[in-house]
Amino acid sequence: MQKYDYLIVGSGLFGSVFAYRAKQAGKRCLVIDKRPHIGGNVYCENIEGINVHKYGAHIFHTSNKAVWDFVNSIVEFNRYTNCPVANYRGTLYNLPFNMNTFYQMWHVTTPQQAHAILEEQREEARTKLCGREPANLEEQARLLIGNDIYEALIKGYTEKQWGRKCSDLPAFIIKRLPVRMIFDNNYFNDKYQGIPIGGYTRLIDGLLEGTDVRLECDFFREFCTGSSSDDTKICWQEVADKLVYTGPLDEFYDYRFGKLQYRTVSFETVVEDTPNYQGNAVVNYTDREVPYTRIIEHKHFEMFGQEVYDCPKTVISREYSTEWKPGMEPYYPVNDDRNNELADKYRNLAAKESDVIFGGRLADYRYYDMAPIVEQALAIEI
């Protein structure tokens, strides 16, 4: 096998952006991925002429012009704006929490009326705290948004998503809850927002163009991270001078301190014989009794106006959140004390590696939106 400058484990956004920059710098890279496709969790599969987000909805948003210009230099992004809707027992509410939500909840029509109700409910929450800081997500949410919206639009959804009672979740998870006193359904405040025209796989294709890629190649089955008595494996150093690793941090160190925990998501994807199933890309189901957290209708990410009806079918995905087990795809780090302390132990080991670059949500054990991943990969010195 020829020698490369970099062996990149994982063809997701971090690995692909790094590979692109390395190639631009004249470096030779081999990208491997254990899946049968490139792109990691941003991979899109075309079904019935619709680009389906195979591993859940991904909306690119950023206020960093350099990041926005970079991704658009690979593939043009469209104008999609994320305006999710919440379904609570058959009643629809706009998200994020804004004047539309308050009108739907309380039939108020002015910011002053909405503010008065919010302050009354916040005061009730403050009184119950007796001067102390919120100890959990439930107390924090009531302090930020009051009881009515918490009970209808936060409690059930959050408990389904995390598999834990809100009273058992840390307060910081919801400290940056967006509350707007204007009629604005745009979920993000970022200056730039959109979806790659043709889907995210086009973006990854562009980033990896001209780079050697091997799919269905499991790093830990084919390579060893150090000396090994297993003669069926080779040390990665025989293949490349440096390693870029985007997989699970604890797995790289053979779970030396124990396994990190995740939440994962499973998808029930269905082709519906109608051009328009729910009229929106994202509808959250916030009551606890509905087993799924949301329904994604994929065509609304890229089709607008008459385009929706020119495509006679649609594809929806129901999302189910569950506790991660080995063999499942890890999605969301569990940010409790036990996992954070464990992750720090692994991060301390990673910081001592001279020829290994760790990047992405799994290798950092942190949840990231896509733009910060791109920014992180752009900042690394090649």
Side-chain angles (χ1 to χ4, degrees), residues 17-31:
V17 171
F18 186 95
Y20 177 86
R21 291 190 60 235
K23 182 175 181 295
Q24 295 295 102
K27 304 296 184 181
R28 294 181 56 80
C29 299
L30 173 63
V31 176

Side-chain angles (χ1 to χ4, degrees), residues 145-202:
I145 200 66
N147 188 67
D148 291 350
I149 289 176
Y150 167 72
E151 289 290 339
L153 304 182
I154 296 176
K155 182 179 172 66
Y157 184 88
T158 303
E159 291 185 347
K160 284 190 291 186
Q161 188 176 39
W162 290 101
R164 293 159 176 78
K165 292 182 178 180
C166 288
S167 57
D168 294 332
L169 289 167
F172 75 84
I173 291 179
I174 206 165
K175 276 192 174 180
R176 292 187 293 176
L177 188 70
V179 180
R180 298 178 184 156
M181 305 308 291
I182 56 175
F183 291 88
D184 179 8
N185 299 325
N186 181 359
Y187 196 81
F188 302 118
N189 289 317
D190 290 298
K191 187 174 182 179
Y192 309 105
Q193 180 176 175
I195 305 285
I197 295 173
Y200 283 96
T201 305
R202 279 196 66 209

Side-chain angles (χ1 to χ4, degrees), residues 207-256:
L207 291 168
L208 294 180
E209 184 178 358
T211 296
D212 291 345
V213 177
R214 283 183 58 198
L215 299 177
E216 297 183 279
C217 176
D218 189 325
F219 176 71
F220 295 103
R221 289 180 181 272
E222 300 200 26
F223 299 92
C224 57
T225 57
S227 58
S228 174
S229 59
D230 187 346
D231 58 11
T232 66
K233 297 181 180 182
I234 60 173
C235 289
W236 68 260
Q237 290 94 336
E238 297 177 34
V239 176
D241 295 327
K242 291 191 175 184
L243 179 71
V244 177
Y245 180 76
T246 70
L249 182 58
D250 53 352
E251 187 176 13
F252 186 84
Y253 291 105
D254 198 25
Y255 310 106
R256 185 179 307 179

Side-chain angles (χ1 to χ4, degrees), residues 93 100-108 148-150 152-153:
Y93 298 88
N100 288 305
T101 323
F102 306 143
Y103 172 74
Q104 292 150 351
M105 179 68 67
W106 301 312
H107 303 291
V108 295
D148 291 350
I149 289 176
Y150 167 72
L153 304 182

